[in-house]
Amino acid sequence: MVCLPASNGDPRNPSSLQYIDPSGRSNSYQQAIMEVGEVIQFYDSDKRFPAWGFGGRTSDGSVSHALNLNGASYGDEVVVVEGIMAAYASSLRNVALAGPTLFSHVVDKAAHTASQSLSQNSPKYYVLLIITDGVLIDMAGTVDALVRASDLPLSVLIVGVGNTDFRQMEILDADNGRRLESSTGRIATRDIVQFVPMKDIHSGQVSVVQALLEELPGQFLSYVRSRNINPVGAPAI
Amino acid sequence: MSYSATMKRSLEIEVISAEGLKADRKPLKRKTYSVVSIDQKYFASKPDDLGGSCPVWKHKFDMEMPINGTVGFITVEVRYRTSGGAEKHVGYAKIPVTDFMGGFAPQGHLNFLSYRLRDEYGDKCGVVNVSIMVKPDRSIPVPLPSSSFAPCSSQAAANNHMWRPRTSSSMASTAVYGGGRVVTGVPVWCAYQRPA
């Protein structure tokens, strides 16, 4: 599941993070999609990804915070990384960029998808990749949504592009050992968020993929171990 | 109305542990126990053997919960007994029923839930960890989950049957939990592994 904002700048403006360069040079979002997508696509058998955008105004004039990036009203899946790239480019042409950055809608949508698999008796683990420039206006709502999702087979990877203050994302990442706490006093069952800013990556030695996927194995194992889910073919304990 | 008044659902609740218990802002050293209450019915766990601010109870029990809309919360309290026998309250947490019924959790799903404990003044005094499973009610058909979103294929596994829940078949769970004897044979799940 891939989710991109449509909220930061005009794709025709070279100073915009979402500038589509006629010469074909990738913008920050495209770089992030390529680098991360190329690795995580191998963990998906059919290589079909639902791709959503947030903060976009669609042709009917409504602002959506979980719109289908491919522009279809039904069916949100796109095929492999090239599909995400194409959907992203077409969405920039067809969706007017609108409004604030909200995560809670896409996190809830991903949680809903992950929860559906629980009742189908064919265990799956989901990864939501969010690429964003950062400043959330629904921090409390996002924390609530992440806490609600923390007991589901779901991890959320967040890539930060641009030079915004990413302190909010660091809080969501919860690497300081403090579990997220919702407005109702529920505490996250486990850490499901990993945040990596692109600028750190480009100035350092680690690849974005390495940094982003660092916590995923642990998050995955914390889920399956708590539920005694064994890999198929493993000797029964 | 008498029909709805008798509608109940059986819950399997495990009070697992608590973390960072405090009394008067100091780490607690007592042997605590937990009390779960639903609609004026109580169940108390055994006290933690070691005592201290991070007790482990791992006490599992069944409780009935009316589902006619009168119960919105389950309450978990942490208490201890003084040497004189008096019962002292450390803190409590309210668990909204919607955190384990409806919402994201299908029936029969084991929900691992954690909550902030607050004392009688509303101050934070620790975190409590529980698991709650709503036992499937065979007499009522289970409604299919809503399909407002298209099914997703983004499974991390390379195919749908990369994993199996250890308890997905009654045979497997009996072998594991039924006295620890070694059972030879082909598990039921193997039959589903390789669809033609």
Side-chain angles (χ1 to χ4, degrees):
Chain A
M1 295 176 277
V2 182
C3 183
L4 299 148
S7 63
N8 45 17
D10 188 330
R12 288 159 298 187
N13 179 353
S15 68
S16 160
L17 285 169
Q18 307 223 36
Y19 176 57
I20 298 289
D21 190 331
S23 70
R25 198 170 152 269
S26 299
N27 68 23
S28 300
Y29 287 91
Q30 289 169 317
Q31 279 175 33
I33 298 168
M34 287 300 290
E35 289 186 31
V36 178
E38 276 182 358
V39 171
I40 60 173
Q41 65 174 329
F42 292 106
Y43 291 89
D44 195 326
S45 57
D46 63 3
K47 299 193 170 27
R48 295 180 65 85
F49 302 92
W52 310 317
F54 50 92
R57 190 184 301 275
T58 49
S59 50
D60 64 3
S62 60
V63 175
S64 170
H65 296 289
L67 58 89
N68 291 343
L69 210 56
N70 62 5
S73 53
Y74 180 78
D76 51 6
E77 293 195 329
V78 293
V79 181
V80 291
V81 176
E82 290 72 22
I84 304 174
M85 296 293 278
Y88 170 70
S90 84
S91 75
L92 284 184
R93 287 192 297 273
N94 301 325
V95 179
L97 307 173
T101 304
L102 283 88
F103 278 7
S104 49
H105 296 235
V106 284
V107 173
D108 272 341
K109 194 166 173 172
H112 186 96
T113 306
S115 74
Q116 281 191 326
S117 81
L118 295 175
S119 48
Q120 290 163 357
N121 204 22
S122 62
K124 296 173 184 170
Y125 197 88
Y126 294 82
V127 176
L128 172 66
L129 169 66
I130 299 178
I131 305 175
T132 180
D133 71 332
V135 183
L136 290 178
I137 62 150
D138 67 335
M139 186 64 181
T142 300
V143 171
D144 284 1
L146 287 169
V147 171
R148 275 196 298 274
S150 65
D151 193 34
L152 293 170
L154 174 71
S155 283
V156 182
L157 307 177
I158 304 173
V159 177
V161 294
N163 292 309
T164 330
D165 180 355
F166 285 121
R167 257 176 298 183
Q168 283 179 320
M169 302 297 146
E170 305 283 357
I171 293 170
L172 296 181
D173 195 351
D175 276 352
N176 54 8
R178 294 173 62 99
R179 291 149 84 187
L180 290 179
E181 181 166 349
S182 81
S183 53
T184 61
R186 184 171 162 192
I187 312 259
T189 304
R190 59 202 184 90
D191 174 19
I192 62 167
V193 181
Q194 169 74 335
F195 166 71
V196 175
M198 281 284 268
K199 61 178 177 191
D200 280 13
I201 304 309
H202 289 139
S203 58
Q205 291 88 25
V206 269
S207 78
V208 66
V209 174
Q210 192 182 345
L212 198 60
L213 302 184
E214 193 182 5
E215 292 178 16
L216 194 54
Q219 293 179 0
F220 168 78
L221 285 175
S222 74
Y223 180 81
V224 295
R225 282 186 180 143
S226 69
R227 285 157 199 288
N228 287 331
I229 299 170
N230 281 346
V232 161
I237 298 163
Chain B
M1 287 301 112
S2 61
Y3 177 71
S4 68
T6 55
M7 290 276 279
K8 285 185 168 133
R9 194 54 52 84
S10 183
L11 307 180
E12 185 187 279
I13 302 173
E14 181 176 14
V15 279
I16 302 169
S17 60
E19 298 157 39
L21 290 184
K22 282 188 282 190
D24 297 327
R25 297 170 190 235
K26 289 191 287 283
L28 198 73
K29 296 198 174 97
R30 304 282 186 155
K31 291 183 179 178
T32 52
Y33 60 98
S34 54
V35 179
V36 176
S37 54
I38 303 176
D39 195 28
Q40 298 173 348
K41 290 198 175 67
Y42 294 84
F43 190 98
S45 77
K46 294 171 295 190
D48 171 43
D49 288 337
L50 298 171
S53 59
C54 297
V56 176
W57 303 298
K58 290 192 176 172
H59 198 147
K60 200 181 277 187
F61 49 88
D62 291 350
M63 280 182 96
E64 300 257 290
M65 186 180 75
I67 51 166
N68 54 6
T70 54
V71 176
F73 293 92
I74 289 180
T75 308
V76 185
E77 269 184 88
V78 178
R79 302 179 186 174
Y80 66 87
R81 233 172 246 288
T82 63
S83 48
E87 196 170 59
K88 296 279 188 186
H89 295 240
V90 179
Y92 73 97
K94 279 179 149 184
I95 304 175
V97 169
T98 48
D99 279 2
F100 57 86
M101 252 179 123
F104 287 147
Q107 216 176 87
H109 178 64
L110 183 60
N111 301 279
F112 287 96
L113 302 167
S114 300
Y115 293 89
R116 168 68 61 200
L117 289 164
R118 291 190 183 268
D119 65 16
E120 56 186 320
Y121 306 106
D123 290 334
K124 295 177 179 182
C125 58
V127 171
V128 67
N129 304 310
V130 301
S131 76
I132 302 177
M133 185 177 77
V134 183
K135 292 190 172 179
D137 185 348
R138 301 290 179 208
S139 66
I140 299 171
V142 180
L144 288 168
S146 98
S147 54
S148 56
F149 295 113
C152 173
S153 68
S154 288
Q155 67 270 35
N159 68 54
N160 287 357
H161 304 283
M162 276 286 276
W163 319 345
R164 62 185 162 85
R166 192 190 286 164
T167 53
S168 66
S169 78
S170 57
M171 275 178 70
S173 58
T174 313
V176 172
Y177 299 112
R181 284 172 296 121
V182 176
V183 176
T184 55
V186 180
V188 175
W189 53 266
C190 281
Y192 299 102
Q193 245 196 116
R194 294 266 180 266

